[in-house]
Amino acid sequence: MTAPATKTLQATLAPPTAHKEHRLQRTVATYRRALSEAFDSGADTQSAVNDIVTPYNLTGHAKNALKSYVPKLRKTYNAEELDDGHPVRFTNQGWRLDHSEDRTHEFCWRVPQAGRGNAFWIPLRINPAQESLWADLLDGDV
């Protein structure tokens, strides 16, 4: 039996339209407020974090990521404070990717947003050294 391997795929967002940029900034700001409130409260269980992040206008994928991550910050990473540039985390259940060789940026990511039907697509610039891994992801081979 072969042991599973983990590989982090790298991509950056292609420059979004002004409207998408505004929505991305709003999501990041809301996420960071929820993260900060949960961390500053000392919440150390998923249930305690849930009580704090529930009112925030975030997707369930972002809230679930926070519920998992915030308790780890102190228990696993021994964090005493948060980094100001903390990235937004989503669970992988909402992950959607599209691919077309007809586009300048062949890969697009469906950005989850709070509310029904509010998600949007944004082009990705993939790491060229990982092109075969991205293809394997699309093919379902990984």
Side-chain angles (χ1 to χ4, degrees):
M1 182 172 155
T2 306
T6 301
K7 181 71 177 177
T8 300
L9 297 179
Q10 297 174 331
T12 56
L13 301 179
T17 63
H19 178 69
K20 288 179 181 179
E21 175 70 22
H22 175 72
R23 291 177 68 190
L24 287 167
Q25 288 176 357
R26 188 173 58 214
T27 298
V28 170
T30 303
Y31 180 90
R32 288 183 179 160
R33 281 194 309 274
L35 171 63
S36 180
E37 184 179 346
F39 182 81
D40 292 345
S41 77
D44 60 356
T45 65
Q46 289 188 4
S47 179
V49 174
N50 183 63
D51 292 343
I52 294 166
V53 302
T54 294
Y56 282 89
N57 191 27
L58 292 167
T59 68
H61 304 297
K63 290 176 184 179
N64 287 339
L66 283 166
K67 289 187 286 190
S68 173
Y69 185 60
V70 170
K72 290 179 188 173
L73 284 170
R74 290 199 204 285
K75 292 178 181 177
T76 304
Y77 304 121
N78 298 318
E80 294 182 17
E81 61 184 41
L82 291 175
D83 183 332
D84 289 338
H86 205 284
V88 175
R89 292 173 183 263
F90 296 102
T91 60
N92 63 1
Q93 290 93 357
W95 169 255
R96 288 201 31 213
L97 192 65
D98 185 54
H99 178 259
S100 173
E101 294 178 5
D102 297 332
R103 295 189 292 249
T104 301
H105 301 288
E106 294 182 16
F107 292 87
C108 289
W109 170 51
R110 184 178 176 270
V111 181
Q113 295 286 285
R116 187 176 189 97
N118 290 330
F120 59 90
W121 292 91
I122 194 161
L124 297 176
R125 293 180 183 154
I126 65 167
N127 178 343
Q130 296 180 328
E131 192 168 341
S132 66
L133 294 172
W134 283 88
D136 289 345
L137 181 67
L138 285 175
D139 294 340
D141 293 341
V142 294

